[in-house]
Amino acid sequence: MDAAKVAELNEFITKLKSNPSILHNPSLAFFKSYLHSLGARIPVDPKMETKEEFDDDIVESDIELDDADVVEPDNDSTQQMGDPSVEVTEEMQDSAQLAKLRAMDAVSEGKLDEAIDHITEAIMLNPTSAILKASRASIFVKLNKPNAAIRDANAAIEINPDSAKGYKIRGTAKAMLGHWEEAASDLRMASKLDYDEEIGLVLIKVEPNARKIEEHRKNPKLNVRERGKLKLNFFNFMQEWEALSALKDGMGKSLLYTQPVNLRQS
């Protein structure tokens, strides 16, 4: 075998060791197939994982949704939840109720951060109260902090699986994040448990978006028509670009144009 070709092959193998994803280039499909025939283990193409994520994410982006009220997710540290194993005395319950009343007064005055402080004090005194955590969740919604609201609503529902307020606030918070299907599910549950007009108003906003997404998922053929060309063009472009980058120094030309039979004959 030509010494120059051996040197090129050696350099190519070195590059493969540092970047195995080169093997997933369509131009080297014959070489990857040959390696498979020898029992070699080929690493998973990282772009295929990205493509699957892209498939999941693009479903909603293909649909015209009413997302005018969607907010940026909050990333505050987890709020105090209290110790659920603590023994809550009657005196602690009374003190917690007074702290809750102070929180509600603060809300009525528009002092939402102060309200959070008061309701957190109440929760620390009575951490087993679902209504206190649901109440704080409602204040977090007013502060445009849906993730914090969801954490409190989850805690409320864990304490009381029939907490209508917990489902209502969690559904509202998920709508704020644009999680329409989950929001609709929570709001429907809240409506079953204890319907009020506020739930109905939020559902008027949420359900059309949720239905559009549900219908879109039920029509995969339509999804393919809408998305297929865009995705294939994008990923083919990325593959070709990486191939050119990997082979631009010419060291892979012989492999690029060599047929599998020639490789075996060498």
Side-chain angles (χ1 to χ4, degrees):
M1 186 175 182
D2 189 289
K5 289 185 179 294
V6 172
E8 286 182 356
L9 181 59
N10 183 57
E11 185 177 357
F12 179 63
I13 297 300
T14 300
K15 283 189 175 291
L16 276 181
K17 289 180 179 179
S18 62
N19 182 17
S21 64
I22 294 173
L23 275 175
H24 297 290
N25 182 271
S27 304
L28 297 176
F30 72 90
F31 186 55
K32 185 167 69 170
S33 176
Y34 177 63
L35 292 177
H36 273 303
S37 72
L38 297 178
R41 295 178 58 186
I42 309 297
V44 176
D45 185 355
K47 287 193 293 298
M48 291 305 296
E49 297 177 358
T50 304
K51 184 175 180 180
E52 291 174 3
E53 294 174 4
F54 189 68
D55 285 347
D56 292 337
D57 293 340
I58 202 170
V59 170
E60 292 187 24
S61 67
D62 282 345
I63 314 169
E64 187 175 342
L65 301 173
D66 179 5
D67 58 359
D69 297 326
V70 173
V71 302
E72 289 295 323
D74 50 302
N75 297 306
D76 295 346
S77 57
T78 303
Q79 61 266 36
Q80 291 179 299
M81 293 290 184
D83 181 3
S85 65
V86 71
E87 183 178 349
V88 180
T89 65
E90 186 175 339
E91 182 180 356
M92 292 166 70
Q93 289 180 346
D94 291 341
S95 296
Q97 185 62 25
L98 290 174
K100 179 188 174 184
L101 292 174
R102 290 194 294 272
M104 295 303 102
D105 288 342
V107 169
S108 65
E109 296 172 6
K111 301 175 181 177
L112 299 180
D113 289 326
E114 182 180 323
I116 289 292
D117 292 338
H118 289 310
I119 199 71
T120 299
E121 178 187 350
I123 288 171
M124 298 303 288
L125 288 164
N126 187 3
T128 61
S129 169
I131 193 63
L132 287 177
K133 288 177 178 173
S135 296
R136 186 171 65 178
S138 69
I139 302 173
F140 278 128
V141 164
K142 294 178 185 295
L143 284 166
N144 281 338
K145 295 186 175 183
N147 282 327
I150 290 169
R151 287 192 292 267
D152 270 341
N154 286 342
I157 293 167
E158 184 176 352
I159 294 169
N160 176 15
D162 293 327
S163 172
K165 188 169 185 177
Y167 283 107
K168 171 184 171 180
I169 299 301
R170 190 171 73 178
T172 302
K174 292 201 171 185
M176 293 171 68
L177 292 170
H179 300 167
W180 304 113
E181 291 175 292
E182 295 176 10
S185 176
D186 279 345
L187 291 166
R188 289 166 188 154
M189 176 61 75
S191 184
K192 288 179 182 179
L193 293 169
D194 186 17
Y195 179 81
D196 65 39
E197 290 184 2
E198 190 175 350
I199 295 173
L201 289 173
V202 181
L203 275 171
I204 289 174
K205 164 82 173 182
V206 168
E207 284 193 317
N209 285 342
R211 279 197 296 268
K212 286 180 182 179
I213 295 170
E214 289 166 5
E215 288 302 316
H216 201 64
R217 292 185 189 281
K218 290 176 184 177
N219 195 346
K221 291 183 179 179
L222 179 62
N223 291 347
V224 170
R225 292 193 194 101
E226 293 176 341
R227 298 182 286 154
K229 289 184 179 179
L230 173 64
K231 290 186 298 180
L232 288 174
N233 289 343
F234 173 76
F235 287 107
N236 286 342
F237 169 78
M238 290 302 296
Q239 287 177 329
E240 292 302 322
W241 183 85
E242 289 190 4
L244 288 172
S245 297
L247 304 175
K248 65 181 180 180
D249 58 0
M251 64 87 186
K253 283 185 178 179
S254 59
L255 284 175
L256 186 62
Y257 295 104
T258 300
Q259 298 301 314
V261 62
N262 293 338
L263 180 64
R264 295 191 184 96
Q265 288 173 349
S266 299

